[in-house]
Amino acid sequence: MYTILDKQLIGPKVYRLRIRAPEIARVRRAGQFVALRVTKEGERFPLTIVDSDPAEGSLTLIVQEVGLSTQNLCQKNAGEEISDVAGPLGHPTDIEKFGNCVCVGGGIGVAPMYPIAKALRQAGNKVTTIIGARTKDLIILEKEMRAVSDDVVLATDDGSLGMKGFVSDVLKHLVTGEGRHFDLAAAIGPVPMMRAVCNVTKELGIRTIVSLNPIMVDGTGMCGGCRVLIGGQTKFACVDGPEFDGHQVDFAALMSRLRMYDHLKAQCVSGAFAPAAKST
Amino acid sequence: MPQLTPAERLKIPRQPMPEQPAAQRIRGFTEVALGFTPELAVLEANRCLGCKKPKCMEGCPVQIDIPGFVKLIQENDFKGAARKLREFSDLPAVCGRVCPQEEQCEQFCSLGKKGQPLAIGRLERFAADCERADTQRALPALAPKKGKKVAIVGSGPAGLTAAGELLKRGYEVTIFEALHEPGGVLVYGIPEFRLPKEIVRYEIDILRRMGAEIKTNMIVGRTFTVDELLNNGYSAVFIGAGAGLPILLNLPGEHLNGVYSANEFLLRMNLMHAFEFPKYHTPVFCGKRVAVFGGGNVAMDAARVALRMKPDKVYIAYRRTAAEMPARAEEVEHGKEEGIEFMFLIAPTKILGDEKGWVKGVECLKMELGEPDASGRRRPVPIPHSEFVLDVDTVVIAIGNTPNPIVPNTTKGLKVGKHGTIEADAKGATSRPGVFAGGDIVTGAATVILAMGAGKKAAQAIDEYIQAKESH
C-alpha cells in the first residue's frame, strides 16, 4: 500500500525516499510528520515530511540510517512497500510574514528544516539558511536549500567547507559581526545543537522555534511517551508540537529521555534481525 | 432428560473455572482462564432457576436474554445458545471475558441471595467460544443494500458494534482506525492473557466478510475531518474514538526514565509486542521493582503485564482501599494469586531519580478516607507527616484516561463537555446532525459492554436519521 516510488542516496547513510501516501499528501502542511512502521515486527517511529506532491499522491522523507528501524527502511528499494504510514501528525508550522527569518539546520536536521524555509519564503519572508555539519561530506540539501532561501551560509566544524565553527557561532557572527537582523529563528538538529542556538538567540532576543524529536510510539497523543517540559509544563510533542518556543524547552530532560533505550540497542545489531536474503 | 427441581438446582455448587495455575501462567502471556468444558457448562447452566422475573437481565447493559441462552446450554444446544446471544450482543466472546459481571448480571442473580450467583459470564464465554469453533457458522443476515454509506471513527468495541449493526441493516460501512491494527482498546489495552487477540481478529474478520471496509492508519481529525467525510458521500458519521489520552499526575520527576503512563506501557507491550523484544523491535523498560499507581482495570493490566517480565516485586499502590477499587474482581483475585503486592491508602507526591536520569523511588504519603467526593466514594485525605519512599525502578501511572481531543477539536460545532467528552443523547446523537458518538468518548473511560451498547443504539439512531432524510 505505501509503495516506495523512488530512493536516492544523498549523503553518507542518508536517503531520500518518495513514498505513495495520497491521503496524507493531500492535506499535509509544512512542519508535520508521519509515524511509520516498516514491517510488522517493526517499531513505530516518526519522520518529518520534507515535501509532498498532492497531484502524485506522494510524500518525500529523508532518513539517516542510525539503527535497526532506519536501516530496515533504507534497505528497501523502489517498488517495495512500507507496512504502515500514518499522518499527517503534529501542528503545522505557524507560518506568518515575520520579516527576516534565519533557518538553522544541523546535520540531518536540514531535512525537516527545508519545508519550513520553503513555507516561510512563500509567505513573503526573507530567508537566510545556515546549514551545518561536522565535515564537508555530511552537508546535505545545499542545492535544495539555495532554491528556497535568499542566502545560504555553510558551516562545518572542521572548516572543510564554508565557515569553520558550530552553526550557533555562525548565527552569532551574522548578528553581532555582520549586523544582520532577524525577526525569527528556527533551529532543527541534534539536541545539543538546538540548545546552543537557543542560548545564542536568547541572548540576542530573537524569537526561536525548534522542532523536537523525543521518542514516540503512536504519535497521536495517546501514550505520553513523547512528553517534554515546556516552561515547566508537560506537553506532548506529537500533538502540542512538534515545534515549541525554543527558549522554554528543557533540553536536558529531552536528552535524558532520548537515552532511555540506548542500553538495548546492542541487541538490535544489523544482520541479526535484518530481512532475510539481504547481503550487506 | 428429566427436568431438575429447584431444590436440586440449588444443591449444585457454582462451578470453578479451570485456570492455569499462577506459577505457570506468569511465565508467559497465554490466557489465564481456560473455559468450561461442555460438562461443566451444562452443570453450571443447570443451576439457573429460570426465574419468572429475571433480575439478571436488568443488570445487563444490553438486556441479553440470559435465561434464554442459559436454557439452551442446559439442553446441550450450544450453537443455539450462541445464536441467542448474538441477537443482543455483537461481542459475546469478549464480554464473557471482560465484563464486570459481579456489578452487572451476576449481582442481581437470585441464587446470589443465599449462595453464589450463576456464573453467567463464564456461560456466555462458553457459548461464544463454541460458536467460534464452528467453522461452518453462517454470517449474520444482511438486509437488502440501501445504497448509503456510514463512516465509523475508531475500531474499538463501540465502532465495531455500530459497524456490524449498520451492515445488518443494509448500509455500507467504512471504519477509520488511527492505529495500524484495528480493535482499539481490545488490542492495545487489554492483555493477551485476559483477551486473546485471536478473538478480536475473528470478530473483525466477520465484519470484513459482512462487507465492512476497514482503513487503518487513518486519523480522523488529521488525515480527514468529520466534515470532509460528510461532504464526501457518507450519510452519517459515528464517532467511537475512545478515551485514549492518559492522565498524568504532573509530579516532580514524572519525566524521569522508567516512568510510564499505563497507556504507553500497555501500548508497547500489547500492541507492539515489546514483551517479545528483540523479535519485535519495540523496546520497553521493566526493571526489578515496579510500582503501578491506580486501582482500575488498567492498573491491574499494567501490573500483571509487568509481573510477566519477571521483576522481583510488583506493587499496586491505590489511594483508597480494596473496597473502593474499580477493577474487576476476578482481575484483583488473579493479581493476588500471581504475587502482586497491594498497598492501599497511598498516594505519590514526588518521583525520585538518580544521577543518570532514571527513577529510583517514589515519595508517597499515607491517606485516610474522608467525606465522599463527586463519584460517591470516600475521598482520600493525606495524613500529614506520613511521607515514606517506595523503593522502585519502574513506575506506571494508571490513574485514568480522558478522550483524545483530536476529533472534537477538528469538528466544528460539536459540543464537548468538561473533560473532553462529546455530548450525546441517549441514542448517541450529538449537537451536529448526522454526527453520532458512543463509548468512552461520550462517557469517559468505562467498559466494553457499555461501548457496545452505545454502538448498537447509535446504529439504530443513524438508520432512523438516514431514512428520515430520505423520505423528505
Side-chain angles (χ1 to χ4, degrees):
Chain A
M1 244 219 69
Y2 301 99
T3 317
I4 299 173
L5 301 170
D6 188 55
K7 173 187 166 184
Q8 270 178 21
L9 184 71
I10 63 167
K13 294 197 171 186
V14 180
Y15 293 87
R16 171 167 36 218
L17 299 167
R18 225 169 66 244
I19 62 170
R20 193 185 161 276
E23 295 92 352
I24 307 174
R26 197 181 60 95
V27 291
R28 164 263 171 186
R29 287 162 61 193
Q32 292 187 303
F33 63 96
V34 286
L36 294 102
R37 194 179 66 140
V38 182
T39 63
K40 301 246 175 288
E41 299 77 24
E43 50 175 343
R44 285 175 68 101
F45 62 97
L47 281 177
T48 305
I49 303 168
V50 173
D51 209 347
S52 58
D53 185 340
E56 188 190 44
S58 69
L59 304 176
T60 298
L61 306 175
I62 291 178
V63 198
Q64 182 178 44
E65 263 193 50
V66 290
L68 179 65
S69 303
T70 46
Q71 249 168 47
N72 284 343
L73 177 57
C74 294
Q75 280 174 3
K76 283 193 176 280
N77 294 305
E80 290 178 47
E81 293 193 355
I82 299 169
S83 179
D84 301 279
V85 180
L89 300 172
H91 281 299
T93 313
D94 181 24
I95 302 290
E96 288 169 35
K97 192 144 177 228
F98 300 100
N100 284 305
C101 301
V102 60
C103 293
V104 190
I108 193 63
V110 181
M113 186 53 87
Y114 170 81
I116 297 175
K118 182 176 171 186
L120 285 169
R121 191 107 180 292
Q122 276 172 352
N125 291 287
K126 200 150 175 280
V127 174
T128 297
T129 294
I130 303 173
I131 303 177
R134 282 202 314 277
T135 184
K136 172 178 160 177
D137 289 338
L138 299 174
I139 294 271
I140 55 168
L141 301 180
E142 181 189 341
K143 195 177 77 170
E144 289 81 354
M145 280 309 217
R146 285 196 191 280
V148 299
S149 312
D150 290 278
D151 66 313
V152 172
V153 180
L154 302 178
T156 46
D157 296 3
D158 63 1
S160 50
L161 183 61
M163 294 178 72
K164 180 168 182 195
F166 299 136
V167 291
S168 46
D169 298 326
V170 170
L171 172 57
K172 190 165 185 179
H173 170 78
L174 288 179
V175 177
T176 60
E178 293 183 17
R180 303 279 299 270
H181 167 79
F182 298 112
D183 301 290
L184 177 82
I188 309 183
V191 180
M193 169 245 160
M194 289 192 286
R195 181 173 59 178
V197 170
C198 287
N199 285 340
V200 166
T201 57
K202 193 161 190 178
E203 249 184 71
L204 299 173
I206 305 173
R207 175 176 158 190
T208 306
I209 52 169
V210 290
S211 185
L212 300 183
N213 59 342
I215 296 173
M216 284 183 191
V217 188
D218 59 292
T220 60
M222 69 177 281
C223 82
C226 66
R227 60 187 179 279
V228 287
L229 278 165
I230 310 293
Q233 303 230 321
T234 296
K235 299 280 174 194
F236 292 179
C238 66
V239 291
D240 301 314
E243 290 165 20
F244 295 99
D245 173 354
H247 299 149
Q248 301 288 316
V249 174
D250 183 337
F251 287 106
L254 175 60
M255 278 195 281
S256 180
R257 283 182 66 76
L258 280 168
R259 289 195 289 262
M260 182 152 167
Y261 300 103
D262 280 2
H263 63 288
L264 296 172
K265 286 186 178 169
Q267 292 181 52
C268 295
V269 174
S270 85
F273 302 103
K278 268 282 183 262
S279 53
T280 36
Chain B
M1 177 172 161
Q3 276 278 22
L4 293 171
T5 64
E8 285 168 327
R9 295 188 191 285
L10 285 167
K11 281 212 181 77
I12 308 170
R14 179 167 154 123
Q15 297 303 300
M17 171 65 111
E19 286 172 356
Q20 282 196 68
Q24 170 190 316
R25 69 199 193 218
I26 60 171
R27 285 192 229 127
F29 282 73
T30 50
E31 200 180 358
V32 173
L34 300 170
F36 277 158
T37 57
E39 295 73 29
L40 282 174
V42 173
L43 193 54
E44 179 65 30
N46 275 328
R47 297 179 67 225
C48 178
L49 298 173
C51 305
K52 280 206 181 61
K53 287 198 180 147
K55 291 255 176 254
C56 52
M57 286 177 66
E58 289 170 35
C60 176
V62 295
Q63 286 86 47
I64 290 175
D65 176 6
I66 296 168
F69 92 81
V70 173
K71 185 153 197 289
L72 289 161
I73 295 179
Q74 289 174 352
E75 293 165 2
N76 269 276
D77 181 6
F78 306 146
K79 284 186 193 166
R83 274 198 302 275
K84 173 60 64 179
L85 277 169
R86 283 278 173 184
E87 288 172 32
F88 303 90
S89 169
D90 291 82
L91 299 167
V94 175
C95 293
R97 285 169 165 78
V98 308
C99 263
Q101 290 94 1
E102 72 273 13
E103 289 166 27
Q104 294 172 176
C105 49
E106 293 182 19
Q107 186 184 95
F108 298 101
C109 173
S110 311
L111 292 173
K113 284 194 202 129
K114 295 229 177 95
Q116 293 274 52
L118 185 69
I120 299 169
R122 291 169 181 173
L123 289 171
E124 179 182 22
R125 175 209 161 127
F126 171 79
D129 286 354
C130 285
E131 179 193 61
R132 251 186 329 119
D134 174 13
T135 51
Q136 300 303 313
R137 180 207 157 193
L139 289 177
L142 303 178
K145 287 221 188 296
K146 293 187 158 75
K148 295 277 171 211
K149 291 197 304 186
V150 179
I152 310 276
V153 179
S155 64
L160 293 176
T161 301
E165 294 296 314
L166 286 163
L167 286 164
K168 282 190 238 173
R169 287 173 161 81
Y171 290 97
E172 277 172 58
V173 160
T174 306
I175 303 175
F176 294 91
E177 167 55 49
L179 291 172
H180 52 265
E181 206 180 308
V185 75
L186 303 175
V187 292
Y188 77 73
I190 306 179
E192 179 74 18
F193 55 80
R194 265 222 288 152
L195 177 63
K197 302 309 152 223
E198 169 204 28
I199 295 173
V200 182
R201 276 182 229 127
Y202 170 83
E203 296 296 344
I204 291 173
D205 186 56
I206 289 183
L207 287 175
R208 282 205 178 97
R209 284 161 57 206
M210 285 165 73
E213 195 186 2
I214 302 179
K215 292 188 164 180
T216 53
N217 300 309
M218 292 286 157
I219 304 145
V220 175
R222 289 260 182 254
T223 324
F224 304 104
T225 59
V226 167
D227 282 286
E228 281 180 302
L229 294 172
L230 289 168
N231 293 333
N232 278 283
Y234 290 97
S235 305
V237 178
F238 173 76
I239 302 174
L245 189 73
I247 299 174
L248 291 172
L249 287 163
N250 289 316
L251 295 176
E254 214 164 46
H255 285 250
L256 289 164
N257 287 339
V259 180
Y260 286 108
S261 72
N263 265 13
E264 184 183 356
F265 188 71
L266 292 172
L267 196 66
R268 284 177 180 274
M269 289 287 200
N270 295 333
L271 184 71
M272 309 303 295
H273 293 255
F275 65 91
E276 292 187 78
F277 178 87
K279 175 180 167 198
Y280 283 82
H281 308 166
T282 299
V284 73
F285 177 77
C286 189
K288 288 284 152 216
R289 300 175 62 82
V290 184
V292 177
F293 290 94
N297 287 322
V298 176
M300 288 309 308
D301 282 340
R304 293 174 68 202
V305 166
L307 199 77
R308 283 153 171 77
M309 302 302 283
K310 303 174 185 58
D312 295 334
K313 199 77 168 139
V314 177
Y315 298 105
I316 280 247
Y318 180 51
R319 61 186 186 143
R320 291 184 170 98
T321 73
E324 288 87 26
M325 274 186 90
R328 193 169 175 263
E330 188 175 48
E331 310 318 323
V332 178
E333 198 49 50
H334 283 161
K336 279 193 194 130
E337 288 168 7
E338 289 166 8
I340 291 173
E341 185 172 325
F342 288 80
M343 299 181 73
F344 295 109
L345 295 169
I346 302 279
T349 51
K350 208 188 290 182
I351 305 179
L352 308 169
D354 66 15
E355 62 287 346
K356 295 209 179 112
W358 285 82
V359 61
K360 67 171 186 193
V362 183
E363 194 181 271
C364 301
L365 268 178
K366 297 202 175 136
M367 301 276 134
E368 57 191 352
L369 291 183
E371 291 306 304
D373 70 9
S375 72
R377 291 175 298 164
R378 293 177 67 192
R379 178 190 293 280
V381 173
I383 298 174
H385 313 301
S386 64
E387 292 87 356
F388 68 98
V389 174
L390 196 58
D391 170 22
V392 289
D393 59 11
T394 311
V395 173
V396 180
I397 299 172
I399 60 165
N401 293 299
T402 50
N404 191 310
I406 285 185
V407 173
N409 282 355
T410 55
T411 311
K412 282 191 276 283
L414 193 66
K415 267 188 100 184
V416 164
K418 203 168 52 152
H419 297 291
T421 47
I422 295 178
E423 289 188 7
D425 68 15
K427 285 174 152 191
T430 68
S431 56
R432 286 277 312 264
V435 180
F436 296 76
D440 286 4
I441 200 160
V442 171
T443 59
T447 59
V448 169
I449 193 159
L450 283 172
M452 200 180 84
K456 226 174 134 124
K457 289 197 192 100
Q460 163 111 352
I462 290 171
D463 186 13
E464 288 165 2
Y465 165 80
I466 294 176
Q467 293 313 304
K469 268 182 91 174
E470 277 297 281
S471 58
H472 284 134

